[in-house]
Amino acid sequence: MAPYAVHMHVVVAANPHARFGRAKTAGAEAAAKLVEAGHEVHFFERTSWEHLLADVRDACSDTDALVVVGGDGMVHLAVNVVAEHEVPFAIVPSGSGNDFAKTLGLESLDAAIAGLPEALTRDPIQVDALRIRHSAGVRYAAGIVSVGFDADVNRRSFDLQRVPSRVRYEAAIALTLTNPHHRTFEIAFDDDEPFELSTLIFAIANHQHFGGGIRIAPEADVFDGKLTTVWADPLTRIRFYRLLTKALRGRHTGERDVHVQDAQRVRLWSSESVDAFADGEKIGALPIEVEVCPGLLRVLR
């Protein structure tokens, strides 16, 4: 059935813990709005990301559209479903960061829910995605793959289970800032020869922001069919703090110790044990290979 059909079968998937539980009714509200518009809705709400992914994958084998309600983790779920089933998807941004949704101009939770029926009548836009090959298989991502500071923050936030969820990410940032860690990587762009670097942060970007608004890759664009990589030379702690402050405003890439390079494919490995994260979700240990998939995603908005 075409995505602009009057009556559609829609899968709605929600994370009730999005925005630390402050938007826990958003999924049910989105589903109700679509039922009111005359659509057949299959609604999933799970606290386990892995169980939700399995359920949604099964349901999307025969559906017209997917709606995900949550933050960047739910967008990550959607991307890994639609990469297999070629289903268009819509986003109801109700997470704490919503970096990918903001990239597409989707910032209001209430407006997104109210606009869902109309969004399903429009042709989807085509947006680039990232394909990540790693030791356990293949994953897809919408935003940014990182192996430095941002990955350390995400990993630490998962460990802070005794910290209230509403301040867990901020606590993880503060703790990571006390001891930022340089790592040595081997990097290869496209078919170029690999080179070695030591850095606090290495980001492979499809869009500009991570961490709920840090503008790490101001030149990145989800429509340009390429990856934008950003990394820094070895930094003192004070210099890193200053660069991080500039990154909040996207003003760091002109600095002498910051490097930006575009590519179609990036290979990344290390002699150290290093985990890669994408869209804030853990992918697994290096080595990884990341390549751009131009126009893979079809987004309804």
Side-chain angles (χ1 to χ4, degrees):
M1 186 181 294
Y4 46 81
V6 173
H7 175 82
M8 299 173 64
H9 178 203
V10 184
V11 172
V12 177
N15 174 10
H17 290 168
R19 203 172 291 176
F20 310 117
R22 284 173 282 177
K24 62 183 178 181
T25 64
E29 292 171 12
K33 188 70 176 178
L34 292 171
V35 170
E36 180 185 325
H39 300 298
E40 180 183 349
V41 175
H42 199 166
F43 178 44
F44 294 96
E45 188 175 58
R46 303 280 188 275
T47 56
S48 165
W49 190 92
E50 290 80 7
H51 292 161
L52 185 58
L53 176 63
D55 289 341
V56 174
R57 272 179 170 158
D58 289 342
C60 281
S61 62
D62 183 24
T63 194
D64 299 309
L66 168 64
V67 176
V68 288
V69 184
D72 290 305
M74 289 301 294
V75 172
H76 189 71
L77 180 145
V79 171
N80 282 278
V81 171
V82 304
E84 297 178 357
H85 294 298
E86 299 183 355
V87 175
F89 73 101
I91 305 164
V92 175
S94 61
S96 56
N98 304 314
D99 289 319
F100 185 75
K102 289 176 182 176
T103 296
L104 301 182
L106 304 169
E107 298 196 37
S108 168
L109 169 61
D110 292 338
I113 292 175
L116 274 177
E118 185 178 350
L120 294 182
T121 69
R122 291 193 285 262
D123 290 332
I125 60 170
Q126 290 187 272
V127 178
D128 300 342
L130 308 177
R131 180 185 292 118
I132 308 160
R133 292 185 172 89
H134 58 106
S135 60
V138 175
R139 286 271 285 275
Y140 291 83
I144 294 179
V145 177
S146 61
V147 293
F149 176 77
D150 180 60
D152 290 341
V153 170
N154 278 293
R155 181 174 53 254
R156 194 182 294 269
S157 70
F158 295 150
D159 293 337
L160 297 177
Q161 295 303 310
R162 294 186 179 182
V163 176
S165 59
R166 64 184 181 278
V167 295
R168 191 174 298 154
Y169 193 80
E170 289 80 359
I173 291 175
L175 287 170
T176 307
L177 281 171
T178 63
N179 188 29
H181 180 50
H182 286 84
R183 293 183 176 89
T184 300
F185 300 102
E186 291 282 332
I187 311 291
F189 295 110
D190 298 324
D191 295 323
D192 296 345
E193 289 296 314
F195 64 96
E196 184 178 282
L197 62 86
S198 177
T199 186
L200 278 168
I201 189 165
F202 191 89
I204 305 169
N206 188 36
H207 62 53
Q208 298 182 12
H209 299 89
F210 66 12
I214 298 175
R215 199 170 171 221
I216 187 65
E219 296 85 359
D221 188 337
V222 294
F223 302 105
D224 65 3
K226 59 187 179 183
L227 308 171
T228 299
T229 59
V230 182
W231 73 96
D233 293 333
L235 303 168
T236 65
R237 186 177 301 180
I238 295 300
R239 178 61 178 154
F240 176 60
Y241 294 167
R242 289 174 178 170
L243 275 181
L244 190 60
T245 300
K246 289 189 174 186
L248 291 171
R249 305 187 301 275
R251 296 180 180 175
H252 59 296
T253 55
E255 299 293 313
R256 67 185 184 279
D257 40 16
V258 177
H259 305 274
V260 179
Q261 182 164 336
D262 292 337
Q264 299 294 311
R265 185 177 78 254
V266 180
R267 288 171 288 151
L268 179 67
W269 60 100
S270 176
S271 59
E272 304 176 51
S273 177
V274 181
D275 286 328
F277 285 72
D279 303 331
E281 301 294 322
K282 183 177 177 179
I283 299 300
L286 299 186
I288 61 170
E289 178 182 276
V290 183
E291 65 178 320
V292 65
C293 300
L296 178 68
L297 307 178
R298 295 187 297 145
V299 183
L300 298 158
R301 62 174 185 171

